[in-house]
Amino acid sequence: MFNLFQRIGKALMTPIAVLPVAALLLRLGFGDIFDGQIAEIMKAARGCHFFKS
């Protein structure tokens, strides 16, 4: 039983660790902070995680 809970906890750690980074990419990708090529890189990084179509 403990092993099951341990596996569930490990599975939840990755999304929780990635969410702050993804939120920063989302914010920096709007283009009002950076201009030019940096904004395009941020928009591409934002798009691959949040706005898949």
Side-chain angles (χ1 to χ4, degrees), residues 5-49:
F5 289 132
Q6 191 173 22
R7 289 179 59 200
I8 291 172
K10 286 181 182 179
L12 292 175
M13 276 193 258
T14 302
I16 291 171
V18 170
L19 278 175
V21 175
L24 286 173
L25 289 175
L26 180 66
R27 176 61 186 107
L28 296 175
F30 278 115
D32 58 343
I33 295 176
F34 295 115
D35 290 330
Q37 189 176 12
I38 295 175
E40 295 300 320
I41 293 170
M42 292 294 182
K43 285 179 188 176
R46 174 189 71 173
C48 70
H49 293 290

